[in-house]
Amino acid sequence: MTIEAVAGEQADSPMMSAAKLVAPIVMGYLPVGVAYGVLAQQAGLSMLNTVLMSVLVYAGSAQLIAVALFAAGVSPLSIIATTFVVNLRHLLMSASLAPNLKSWKKWELALFAYQVTDESFAVHSARFARGDLNKTTCFAINYIAQASWTLASFVGFVAGASIPRVEPLGIDYALPAMFIALLVMQTRNKLHVLVAGFTGLTAIVLIQAGADQWSVIIATVIGATFGAGVETWTRK
Amino acid sequence: MDQKIIFLTFLGMLAVTYVPRMAPLVALATRSLPEPVVRWLSFVPVAVLSAMLFPSLVLKDGQFDFTPDNFFLWAAIPAFLLAWRTKSFFGTVALGMALVAAGRYFFE
């Protein structure tokens, strides 16, 4: 029985609870996934490759960047290196989820890790923070999310030939808008607001200083350190 | 580019994406982390989302853009308000996209 069920707050089954929590991710993934599929088609990727990148790599922003690099004829090694830097933030996300998953077996952790994305991370960390650690819910969220992302990629590829530009539809704003919603849901107190503003500014300064691809991970490290520092300092 | 080379590139992308996702989970979950580390990690969600989001709102091609044409920035204000008031994920995404699309339709 889940902690929530014991507390009597929510009597949903693990699958029902997953369906509710994954719905927003799916809503966010559909437009972005379609946009990725359209751009992949226009960059000259085959239908199989367009879908396979969503199955194998499964990383929204890295996939969109990779497609642009393929279109520009950038070398495979540079694309892989860029992907590494862009996705390194998931290292911090996995580390931040880890303390909640002590009871899991190693293979379960290895399987779960495959689908740690910005969005699944945000939903899981919000769940874990309120004590919902149900494993079935965890995996259901991950698989439904990736299935919707992969399906959207396919739809985008098919539609790609008939959509000349995605900008008039505002599709390129789905990702920033999704981050706005996720950020607001993660922000639980005034210190979080302060950390959000501080980290955002740090990232902007880093990009201005030329650290484009490293900006997310460096700013995150600085921002989390700032938050932990202020918390320690104000407690004394 | 050759489709086979594109596929092989994916395998490299898979490796460099999966290992950083997997290593901390497998290495850290079974250990008890020191309290300051856990506290530090609790700020990662807010920090990482801000680091990804805010530059995309105020910078265009690496330059500050506070002109009325920067729809990404102006659409963010009602989107933030809606997210804060309703906690609606779908509503926020739909409003943001609709405002950017409308801005482009009417002002570009």
Side-chain angles (χ1 to χ4, degrees), chain A residues 21-107:
Chain A
L21 290 165
V22 81
I25 301 187
V26 173
M27 295 303 184
Y29 273 181
L30 293 180
V32 185
V34 168
Y36 155 74
V38 170
L39 296 171
Q41 190 272 339
Q42 291 173 357
L45 270 69
S46 68
M47 183 192 282
L48 183 64
N49 268 339
T50 300
V51 172
L52 275 177
M53 178 147 58
S54 291
V55 173
L56 294 173
V57 184
Y58 187 36
S61 35
Q63 286 183 230
L64 286 163
I65 294 168
V67 160
L69 296 179
F70 277 124
V74 173
S75 80
L77 275 182
S78 307
I79 296 176
I80 294 167
T82 305
T83 305
F84 174 69
V85 174
V86 168
N87 284 342
L88 202 53
R89 63 182 186 277
H90 295 135
L91 183 95
L92 293 174
M93 297 185 190
S94 282
S96 138
L97 292 176
N100 301 291
L101 306 175
K102 284 190 172 53
S103 63
W104 288 32
K105 296 186 185 71
K106 280 225 177 351
W107 70 267

Side-chain angles (χ1 to χ4, degrees), chain A residues 76-210:
Chain A
L77 275 182
S78 307
I79 296 176
I80 294 167
T82 305
T83 305
F84 174 69
V85 174
V86 168
N87 284 342
L88 202 53
R89 63 182 186 277
H90 295 135
L91 183 95
L92 293 174
M93 297 185 190
S94 282
S96 138
L97 292 176
N100 301 291
L101 306 175
K102 284 190 172 53
S103 63
W104 288 32
K105 296 186 185 71
K106 280 225 177 351
W107 70 267
E108 291 170 332
L109 293 166
L111 196 64
F112 178 78
Y114 187 61
Q115 289 159 320
V116 173
T117 64
D118 302 334
E119 296 76 21
S120 72
F121 162 74
V123 167
H124 288 310
S125 63
R127 284 176 56 222
F128 295 162
R130 56 172 193 270
D132 174 10
L133 298 171
N134 188 282
K135 208 181 288 174
T136 310
T137 311
C138 284
F139 281 106
I141 288 172
N142 285 358
Y143 282 105
I144 297 168
Q146 190 175 8
S148 71
W149 173 254
T150 306
L151 182 71
S153 309
F154 172 74
V155 171
F157 183 94
V158 173
S162 51
I163 300 178
R165 287 171 65 236
V166 295
E167 287 85 3
L169 305 173
I171 285 178
D172 52 337
Y173 201 60
L175 207 62
M178 190 150 65
F179 287 154
I180 289 172
L182 291 170
L183 176 60
V184 169
M185 283 168 213
Q186 297 293 333
T187 307
R188 283 184 284 274
N189 55 46
K190 280 184 190 147
L191 180 53
H192 283 163
V193 176
L194 191 66
V195 170
F198 178 83
T199 313
L201 278 177
T202 306
I204 291 164
V205 169
L206 285 165
I207 292 172
Q208 294 289 5

Side-chain angles (χ1 to χ4, degrees), chain B residues 74-92:
Chain B
W74 308 122
I77 296 168
F80 260 112
L81 284 173
L82 185 77
W84 174 54
R85 294 303 289 262
T86 66
K87 307 281 176 211
S88 163
F89 194 103
F90 177 65
T92 306

Side-chain angles (χ1 to χ4, degrees), chain A residues 44 94 110 116 167 173 231, chain B residues 3 18 21 39 72 89 104:
Chain A
S94 282
V116 173
E167 287 85 3
Y173 201 60
E231 195 178 56
Chain B
Q3 297 298 329
Y18 179 63
R21 281 175 176 175
R39 190 143 30 99
F72 274 30
F89 194 103
R104 285 172 177 156

Side-chain angles (χ1 to χ4, degrees), chain B residues 17-97:
Chain B
T17 302
Y18 179 63
V19 172
R21 281 175 176 175
M22 180 270 293
L25 274 174
V26 172
L28 299 177
T30 47
R31 297 192 177 91
S32 284
L33 294 173
E35 199 271 339
V37 177
V38 175
R39 190 143 30 99
W40 186 87
L41 288 172
S42 75
F43 287 100
V44 167
V46 167
V48 72
L49 287 167
S50 306
M52 289 187 287
L53 172 67
F54 287 109
S56 74
L57 300 181
V58 299
L59 299 178
K60 218 181 229 174
D61 302 322
Q63 300 295 315
F64 281 109
D65 184 357
F66 294 105
T67 65
D69 289 344
N70 186 359
F71 304 128
F72 274 30
L73 177 61
W74 308 122
I77 296 168
F80 260 112
L81 284 173
L82 185 77
W84 174 54
R85 294 303 289 262
T86 66
K87 307 281 176 211
S88 163
F89 194 103
F90 177 65
T92 306
V93 173
L95 177 71
M97 285 173 53

